[in-house]
Amino acid sequence: MEENVRERCPTGIESLDNILNGGIPRGNSVLITGAAGTGKTTLSIEFLVRGALMDEKGLYISVTEVSEKLIENMITYDFFSKSKIKEKIIFVDMPDIYNELSLNRLRFSLEDINLIIEKIVDIIKRNNIKRVVIDSITSICYRLQTEEKIMEFILKLSKELSELGCTTLMVSELLPTAKGYSQYGVEEAIADGIILLGNLERKGDLLRTLRIVKMRGTSHSRATYVLDITSIGILLVPLLKGGGETQL
Amino acid sequence: MEENVRERCPTGIESLDNILNGGIPRGNSVLITGAAGTGKTTLSIEFLVRGALMDEKGLYISVTEVSEKLIENMITYDFFSKSKIKEKIIFVDMPDIYNELSLNRLRFSLEDINLIIEKIVDIIKRNNIKRVVIDSITSICYRLQTEEKIMEFILKLSKELSELGCTTLMVSELLPTAKGYSQYGVEEAIADGIILLGNLERKGDLLRTLRIVKMRGTSHSRATYVLDITSIGILLVPLLKGGGETQL
Amino acid sequence: MEENVRERCPTGIESLDNILNGGIPRGNSVLITGAAGTGKTTLSIEFLVRGALMDEKGLYISVTEVSEKLIENMITYDFFSKSKIKEKIIFVDMPDIYNELSLNRLRFSLEDINLIIEKIVDIIKRNNIKRVVIDSITSICYRLQTEEKIMEFILKLSKELSELGCTTLMVSELLPTAKGYSQYGVEEAIADGIILLGNLERKGDLLRTLRIVKMRGTSHSRATYVLDITSIGILLVPLLKGGGETQL
Amino acid sequence: MEENVRERCPTGIESLDNILNGGIPRGNSVLITGAAGTGKTTLSIEFLVRGALMDEKGLYISVTEVSEKLIENMITYDFFSKSKIKEKIIFVDMPDIYNELSLNRLRFSLEDINLIIEKIVDIIKRNNIKRVVIDSITSICYRLQTEEKIMEFILKLSKELSELGCTTLMVSELLPTAKGYSQYGVEEAIADGIILLGNLERKGDLLRTLRIVKMRGTSHSRATYVLDITSIGILLVPLLKGGGETQL
Amino acid sequence: MEENVRERCPTGIESLDNILNGGIPRGNSVLITGAAGTGKTTLSIEFLVRGALMDEKGLYISVTEVSEKLIENMITYDFFSKSKIKEKIIFVDMPDIYNELSLNRLRFSLEDINLIIEKIVDIIKRNNIKRVVIDSITSICYRLQTEEKIMEFILKLSKELSELGCTTLMVSELLPTAKGYSQYGVEEAIADGIILLGNLERKGDLLRTLRIVKMRGTSHSRATYVLDITSIGILLVPLLKGGGETQL
Amino acid sequence: MEENVRERCPTGIESLDNILNGGIPRGNSVLITGAAGTGKTTLSIEFLVRGALMDEKGLYISVTEVSEKLIENMITYDFFSKSKIKEKIIFVDMPDIYNELSLNRLRFSLEDINLIIEKIVDIIKRNNIKRVVIDSITSICYRLQTEEKIMEFILKLSKELSELGCTTLMVSELLPTAKGYSQYGVEEAIADGIILLGNLERKGDLLRTLRIVKMRGTSHSRATYVLDITSIGILLVPLLKGGGETQL
């Protein structure tokens, strides 16, 4: 037997790292997927902040929210250090990248895709980034539309980011009753991992849940966990099924 | 721990403000979403009237109803003060804005979108508006159609309104058995909050329900409440699940 | 508290007027919506005939049935007075309006819509009409197709009819298992009221049901009633749920 | 009370005439709708043959089956008199009509529709036809496609046939799990009546069922009946619901 | 009563012939329809081989499988006589027919359809074929696409084959959870018969099932049978419903 | 009885070979189909590695993952011999084939398809390959799109690979709640076999399952097995159904 365990990028969310046997295999591009309100952005930001506290630099590419408002919403957590965030995390608004590249058309071509990837790679290299969040990949896909272009985009981007040693979270927006793990179905096939966030109705309340559906390069639990957003960050507890609840 | 609580815009609907820990984070754009007859317009108008009673000026942009009829339908509530309404709330028919801007085509371009946003911003600035209702965002989206344009529109509008200190309710029309929280799916990803209004069949009657699915910048209950429309305004009571009922 | 109750247009169907606290708020445009065979046309005609007996003149715009056959089918009710009907109700075949306006294309433009509305308004003014039935609005929408045009059409028509003091029933055709309250989804958002007719399987038989989903300008019951078509007209009785039945 | 009962066209299927209070109101166009194998063609042919035995002449317009094979399949019933059929029923293959009219395009225009209707009317007049079967209306609709054209076609055809005193069965093909009563949804709105044929799983066997969903001009039962195809023709018996069965 | 029983083409599968009261009415075109793995090809080949053993010549038109591999897969059955097969059954690859006719476009026109039918008829006449299998009709329909062309194709082909005295099985590919009996819905309306093959989950295993949904020209059982593929050919046994099973 | 058992290609996964009565009939093209995270890639790689250990050369065509990362993820299994893999398995990135052939368009023509097949055949011939994995066929189909082209592609490729004596696994990506066994429905009709991988919820955990839906040329179990990914490779155990589980 050849011993070979891939290096990990610990998320810093302790319970999540336990489920992943130490963290996300470094270099993986992982889909964080779920409906509105299930905690995708919260998890992604904690991933970057925990990285910053471990002195890994992070990049947050925001497509659906103005990044200023985002930062404002972030600083309600105990473990947030405003100075660390400023020093270690770079926030970029995707529309600004589009503007810089003069991409003002609504549908992107393969050439446009290459330009965008180059631009992102450039930011990463210049800043020695090790953790990337794209919030959301779905919003970028709206401008690609066809499965082939989405495949090209995610495949190339993942390859480049992996070669740069970056571990990446790609936020994916689902309808509450979506059939797959992603808007176009392609994203889930190409991603190295899928972390599914969901809702669970219990006694009139709506719990958040997390399940790791897929993670290349490591064994992992595939059970469902309840996800709690607390002032000290995200906590995961195994879901013990009782009565009166419905998975949504 | 850095203490940082975002300023609130109290809706004035006491039970709703309690669930929101004091109100909507000021500057947020919130989707009020639900099927026909679930109380979206009623809630939105009470939000403006309660604001008027607190001396905050409001703007009601009506797309699906002639605003004259709207006012007529409003004044059946005890807390309505006709003079306050006239003084503090401005009613605008969206078709009039279209006419003023000579937008008589059925599908809008990115340029048209910018013109509409400028026009709305102009009204807000000139009147020192602090609360905005767009009834409905869905009806405007019908003229945008593609996800990219809808994303552009809501993202830009939200940004502008937020910078002007406006808290905004965007009414979203759902089919009774809609799969998501919005007609195109994009609205729910970009909105800062989602308040979902629904129906609950109980013993042959049809109750109205409310659930806060998402609200950036505050913690909040995600439970389902029964929504009662009374002569003293909207009341919310926790839903105690009994027998013989079906969530619709 | 400012006392303000909107004037009513009693449907003349006693049990329905009770549920509506006196009738439809005068000037409202109400969607009568349901699958084939649920009693939409029967209810609409009784609304006109009861109006005629109260000396209010009515207009029946027929799109899906030749109006001659319609009248023939009508006169099986006890309360029908052939002379009253002839004197007080005008029957118009929509295809005749199209012909008169030389609208022989299959898809209408915004200009065509305006011509049709003008023509209807003209008939109403010349005959002092106070009650209008359009059977069906769905059939007209087939020639509009896009949400924007349907919105324009219903919004403008409702406004004009309301200003003329007309109370209007717009018949809407649903598939038996339709997801919304209307074919295109737009109709239900713009209508001032929605009366939903349905089917209920009980012990092998198929009962008709009625529910008021929405009615601007009045409070109303939202319960489900069983609708009986009798020789003395429509009767509504509260639905007492027993065993062995399925809402369709 | 003005006594007014519309003249009936007895189907000759005794149990069906009972449910219809004497038969189909003469001049009505009735949709016979159901999935493959539910007995639509069998019912339609018995309607014509029973008419022939009452000396009413019939027209069978075949679109989906070569009429020669059809006649061959028919003569397994006891009540069939080959001579009566030859004398009283005319069989026409729709493709032959298309050929005669040189309609070799796949999509018909409004002008084509008028030519087809004229041709059918011509056959009816020359042969003094009183009962018409179109098997199937769905197959003709495939060449019309849009709701507007289908509406035009069925509306005009129904009007012409009614004025000629013809009672018409329009066969409509449903998918086994169809949501509506017809392929395009339009057919069911315009037809004067809808007779729905279905399947019922009972103890591993598949029963045929019949329900009259709608019939203008008469009151009628809306219960579900079991339809038996016997050598003496169609028999209907009320469905007594037991255990172990599923409506398909 | 005129005695008239249509001549039969016994399938040679004894239990199937019993259900059909002696076999398929000669000249019928029957849809063999079901999901992948339900036994469509196996049943069709046994039909030809059993015919060969009765000295009726057969034609197998293969669209989805190279016919060489097909024969190789066939000869695992006890009743197969390689010499009989070679002598009595002709295997034709549909792509070879396309090539011969120079039909290299992806969508066929009405003219192309006629050429294909002529070619098939020619093979049948020259070889005195009495049994035909088309595996699959669905794969040919992919190149027709519109309902009108599919209707034309199947109607004409069925007519020609019937006049030549051929009994035909048309294999139809369904999705496991298809709503109808065929891919486009048209096939099931035109076919003279429908034999539906399905799956039934029983205690963790997946049984094959068979039901005759429709068969023009004969009465037949409509019950569900379990289909067993054994070394002596297909066996059908009535389905006795127990617990722990789900129809798929 | 003519004894005729087709030669087998043992997968090397012992429990799977048992279910298949010795392995996959040599020359078959088998769909490995399932949602993200169900073990498709893991099974396919073990098939190649087990072949390598039996000295059969393998080809892995990667479309959705960079093959370097793939190898890195592979070597966590006990039975992996890095040297054997290097010697016996060739890894090819599909995008590299596209580049070599200058196929930079997003939709492929029939000519392009032929070029790709030629290229693959060339690699196989030059390297004496006996086992092929295409991961995924779905990703190639995205560039074909129409059923006709997908049919052409898989039919031709299967034929060529079969003639070269290759046994092929074609990975197919399903949505978690897909209705068929493949993305376009065509793949499952043409493949010689279908191995369906799924998920089963049991007590909060998510088990992997395997079922052989179809396999031409051999009898086989159609039961559902639980699939375990262990350090000594894939293990299959019969699924014993208990309580508290849901097939997904």
Side-chain angles (χ1 to χ4, degrees), chain E residues 54-66:
Chain E
M54 293 181 260
D55 280 327
E56 286 195 2
K57 292 189 73 178
L59 170 65
Y60 192 98
I61 300 173
S62 183
V63 192
T64 57
E65 195 178 353
V66 181

Side-chain angles (χ1 to χ4, degrees), chain D residues 24-245:
Chain D
I24 298 170
R26 195 168 287 279
N28 270 5
S29 290
V30 177
L31 220 58
I32 307 297
T33 193
T38 51
K40 301 182 299 291
T41 297
T42 304
L43 187 148
S44 300
I45 283 177
E46 184 164 350
F47 169 73
L48 289 190
V49 175
R50 298 286 183 191
L53 297 173
M54 293 182 260
D55 280 327
E56 287 196 359
K57 292 187 75 177
L59 170 65
Y60 192 99
I61 300 174
S62 183
V63 192
T64 58
E65 196 178 353
V66 181
S67 57
E68 288 164 55
K69 267 169 90 177
L70 185 84
I71 301 174
E72 220 178 302
N73 287 333
M74 280 168 63
I75 40 184
T76 61
Y77 296 99
D78 292 4
F79 57 89
F80 269 45
S81 153
K82 220 171 184 170
S83 56
K84 269 286 177 199
I85 292 172
K86 289 216 164 133
E87 189 190 330
K88 295 287 182 187
I89 308 179
I90 294 171
F91 290 87
V92 175
D93 281 359
M94 197 70 193
D96 294 343
I97 292 186
Y98 295 159
N99 283 338
E100 241 175 274
L101 298 172
S102 306
L103 294 177
N104 46 22
R105 65 193 126 242
L106 286 174
R107 297 284 156 97
F108 293 154
S109 67
L110 284 181
E111 289 68 39
D112 298 341
I113 290 173
N114 287 331
L115 286 176
I116 294 169
I117 294 177
E118 270 175 38
K119 179 73 195 169
I120 294 174
V121 164
D122 180 57
I123 298 172
I124 289 170
K125 279 186 178 162
R126 278 193 289 104
N127 295 283
N128 191 29
I129 302 290
K130 288 297 160 205
R131 296 176 182 226
V132 177
V133 169
I134 300 171
D135 188 354
S136 65
I137 197 77
T138 313
S139 298
I140 300 177
C141 291
Y142 284 141
R143 298 201 160 185
L144 305 176
Q145 285 284 335
T146 62
E147 290 102 343
E148 312 92 277
K149 279 200 263 179
I150 295 172
M151 204 169 75
E152 281 278 312
F153 174 62
I154 301 183
L155 200 54
K156 270 196 189 160
L157 181 64
S158 299
K159 190 181 170 188
E160 296 278 3
L161 294 178
S162 180
E163 285 173 358
L164 293 165
C166 284
T167 306
T168 304
L169 303 189
M170 302 183 295
V171 173
S172 152
E173 296 155 11
L174 287 186
L175 294 185
T177 56
K179 292 190 178 168
Y181 300 124
S182 53
Q183 176 80 15
Y184 293 92
V186 191
E187 306 92 303
E188 67 202 62
I190 296 175
D192 295 310
I194 301 172
I195 296 180
L196 175 67
L197 304 185
N199 286 316
L200 184 82
E201 180 99 40
R202 182 178 267 175
K203 290 174 191 152
D205 205 354
L206 197 63
L207 304 182
R208 290 184 180 90
T209 60
L210 177 150
R211 161 173 284 164
I212 299 176
V213 171
K214 163 180 164 183
M215 189 61 71
R216 289 178 183 150
T218 181
S219 64
H220 58 87
S221 162
R222 300 179 87 218
T224 298
Y225 292 79
V226 173
L227 182 156
D228 257 329
I229 300 178
T230 75
S231 62
I232 57 162
I234 283 175
L235 295 181
L236 299 176
V237 290
L239 171 65
L240 296 175
K241 290 221 165 171
E245 67 201 21

Side-chain angles (χ1 to χ4, degrees), chain D residues 37 69 73 82 107 199, chain E residues 2 6 148 192 211 222:
Chain D
K69 267 169 90 177
N73 287 333
K82 220 171 184 170
R107 297 284 156 97
N199 286 316
Chain E
E2 298 165 70
R6 283 185 52 187
E148 312 93 277
D192 294 311
R211 160 173 284 164
R222 301 179 87 219

Side-chain angles (χ1 to χ4, degrees), chain C residues 36-37 63-66 69 72-73 75-76 78 80-82 104 106-107 139 142-143 145 173 175-177 199 201 204-208, chain D residues 1-2 4 6 27 110 146-149 151-152 155 159 162 179-181 185-186 188-190 192 194 211 213-214 216-217 222-224:
Chain C
V63 192
T64 58
E65 197 178 352
V66 180
K69 269 169 90 178
E72 220 178 302
N73 286 333
I75 39 183
T76 62
D78 292 4
F80 270 43
S81 154
K82 220 171 184 170
N104 46 21
L106 286 174
R107 297 284 156 97
S139 299
Y142 284 141
R143 297 201 161 185
Q145 285 284 335
E173 296 156 10
L175 295 185
T177 56
N199 286 317
E201 180 100 40
D205 204 354
L206 197 64
L207 304 183
R208 292 184 179 90
Chain D
M1 174 182 166
E2 298 165 70
N4 190 305
R6 281 186 53 187
L110 284 181
T146 62
E147 290 102 343
E148 312 92 277
K149 279 200 263 179
M151 204 169 75
E152 281 278 312
L155 200 54
K159 190 181 170 188
S162 180
K179 292 190 178 168
Y181 300 124
V186 191
E188 67 202 62
I190 296 175
D192 295 310
I194 301 172
R211 161 173 284 164
V213 171
K214 163 180 164 183
R216 289 178 183 150
R222 300 179 87 218
T224 298

